[in-house]
């Protein structure tokens, strides 16, 4: 009879990862978008075509397209019961045993043992959450991988991917692709489009890999709970036990004890908010980012972007903040990096150019003199006070003053960084989600709409993202800034000259307006300052 370790590996593989009948019947498998997310992708196409045709009410058209598509989505069948899954796993064990030429009595005994093991581990009350069971599967997978000669690092990656996929597919009412799977699907579309454009295979592969890396870094940060952190501690305890020569069936109880002890000692206090957990998870990667050769300022910008996307995707009780100025500069620098690689330049050259692009963009668009910001603060405070004196409610006055402050800073202090294809995708997806919620559509459907639209839009940016109007204004502005700085060594003067070139160029670009809660749109003209 097979060892307990291999029995557990086979059993959990059958039970938690494949579930082929359910996945096939529900129309989902690993990495495939749900029907509703596919409808979101269609809605994004409708929205983009409407915008290109300069149509009106494009958000409503996109939402109508989503509703029409989603109405046709089949209702996923109810997942099989735990007992049914165990019986299916036991039957497959028996069939494999017979196919290996073993006797019926041996295979019957194996089926009975498998069914008993499965029922005891997974179907009994008090045996942990779905996430706990996925973690147990990941531990068994890790043990099997190491036993087969895999390295701890490779097996750890396989374990993490399997647990993520297990949770995404089996721990919610609707099976979902994991975030890394969605990013891989976007990268594949980018690679296919790159090859269709005639770029070399190695260049397209490198670009697709970079798109995938950036997507995971920006969009796959999770707001970990205390229980999540304890599961990670339990996984580490399991790995240590395996590394010390322990067998899976002996190490599993030790991991369970570590999990229970961690939860009991560390998880009694109220959890931080989802927003705070997103920020903490994103900030945890800054050290590794800096160690990889990126400046601390740029690493912080990337962490802020990851936190913002985490909040938007996971925190129903908080609104995601607007992108910061350094975030927008990082996005622009990365888009230029992709275009540089696609043009055939060495990756190292493009990396250095992107780092310089970020630094110059921050100097031109994000560094404002205290005198200028104080001026805007004072004007904004007077505007808000005047608004309140007129009897307007506080929320509306705050929104008006915030809009005025942004306008003041962008027209007097420093113009905002150029928009990019990726940033526009995120803005569009957020707007579609808010429009969907305002129409009274269930939150889960609106989240699927936004996710499908975002994935479709990011894939459409491609390996060589289209240069936006404002991005085309950045090179001459940066060139002016660098020439003046080199000639005069006067940072203030160089910024002023570069900003003037950017503003003059961007006058012909589409204007981004801010619509206030009372549906009025503000336009403010202010004298240029530093």
């Amino acid at each position: 009879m097979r060892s307990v370790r291999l029995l557990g590996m086979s059993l959990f593989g059958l039970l938690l990862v494949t579930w082929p009948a359910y996945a096939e019947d529900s129309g989902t498998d690993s990495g495939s978008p749900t029907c509703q997310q596919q409808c979101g992708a269609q809605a994004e196409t409708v929205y983009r075509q409407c915008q290109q045709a300069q149509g009106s009410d494009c958000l409503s058209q996109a939402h109508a397209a989503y509703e029409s598509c989603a109405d046709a989505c089949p209702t996923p069948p109810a997942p099989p019961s735990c007992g049914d899954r165990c019986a299916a796993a036991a039957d497959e064990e028996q069939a494999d045993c017979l196919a290996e030429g073993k006797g019926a009595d041996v295979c019957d005994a194996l089926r009975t043992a498998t069914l008993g093991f499965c029922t005891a581990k997974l179907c009994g009350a008090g045996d942990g959450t779905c996430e706990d069971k996925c973690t147990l599967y990941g531990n068994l997978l890790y043990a099997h991988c190491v036993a087969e000669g895999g390295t701890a690092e490779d097996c750890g990656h396989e374990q993490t991917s399997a647990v993520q996929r297990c949770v995404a597919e089996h721990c919610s009412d609707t099976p979902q692709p994991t975030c890394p799977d969605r990013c891989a699907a976007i990268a594949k579309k980018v690679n296919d489009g790159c090859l269709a454009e005639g770029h070399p295979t190695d260049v397209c592969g490198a670009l697709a890999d970079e798109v995938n890396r950036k997507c995971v870094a920006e969009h796959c940060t999770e707001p970990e709970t205390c229980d999540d952190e304890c599961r990670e501690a339990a996984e580490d305890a399991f790995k240590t036990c395996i590394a010390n020569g322990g067998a899976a069936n002996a190490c599993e109880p030790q991991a369970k004890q570590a999990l229970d002890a961690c939860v009991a000692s560390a998880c009694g206090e109220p959890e931080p908010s989802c927003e705070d957990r997103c920020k903490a998870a994103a900030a945890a990667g800054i050290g590794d980012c800096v160690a990889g050769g990126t400046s601390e300022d740029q690493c912080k910008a990337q962490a802020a972007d990851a936190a913002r996307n985490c909040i938007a995707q996971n925190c129903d009780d908080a609104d995601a903040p607007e992108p910061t100025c350094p975030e927008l500069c990082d996005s622009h620098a990365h888009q230029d990096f992709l275009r540089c690689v696609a043009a055939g330049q060495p990756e190292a050259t493009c990396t250095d150019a992107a780092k310089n692009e970020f630094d110059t963009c921050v100097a031109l668009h994000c560094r404002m003199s205290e005198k200028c910001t104080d001026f805007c603060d004072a004007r904004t405070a007077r505007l808000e006070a005047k608004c309140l004196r007129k009897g307007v409610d506080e929320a509306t006055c705050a929104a008006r003053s915030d809009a005025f402050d942004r306008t003041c800073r962008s027209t007097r202090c420093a113009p905002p960084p150029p928009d990019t294809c990726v940033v526009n995708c995120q803005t569009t997806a957020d707007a579609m989600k808010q429009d969907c919620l305002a129409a009274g559509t269930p939150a889960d459907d609106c989240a699927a709409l936004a996710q499908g639209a975002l994935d479709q839009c990011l894939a459409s940016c491609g390996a060589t993202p289209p240069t936006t109007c404002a991005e085309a204004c950045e090179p001459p502005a940066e060139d002016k800034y660098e020439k003046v700085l080199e000639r005069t060594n006067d940072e203030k003067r160089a910024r002023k000259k570069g900003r003037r070139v950017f503003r003059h160029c961007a006058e012909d670009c589409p204007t981004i307006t801010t619509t206030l809660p009372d549906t009025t749109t503000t336009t403010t003209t202010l004298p240029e300052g530093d």
Side-chain angles (χ1 to χ4, degrees), residues 35-45 66 432 448-450 452-453 456:
C35 180
Q36 285 78 8
Q37 289 172 352
Q38 293 175 43
C39 292
Q42 292 183 28
E44 190 277 334
T45 299
Y66 172 79
M432 292 174 73
L449 162 63
Q456 170 74 8

Side-chain angles (χ1 to χ4, degrees), residues 132 226-228 230-231 257-268:
D132 292 336
C226 183
D227 285 352
D228 293 329
C230 285
R231 287 190 194 97
Q257 290 174 4
L259 173 62
D260 292 343
C262 177
V263 170
S265 64
C267 298

Side-chain angles (χ1 to χ4, degrees), residues 308 323 327-328 331 335 418-428:
R308 181 173 54 82
E327 282 181 67
L328 296 174
S331 178
Q335 303 284 276
D419 59 326
T420 66
C421 184
V422 167
V423 169
N424 290 340
C425 285
Q426 294 169 346
T427 301
T428 298

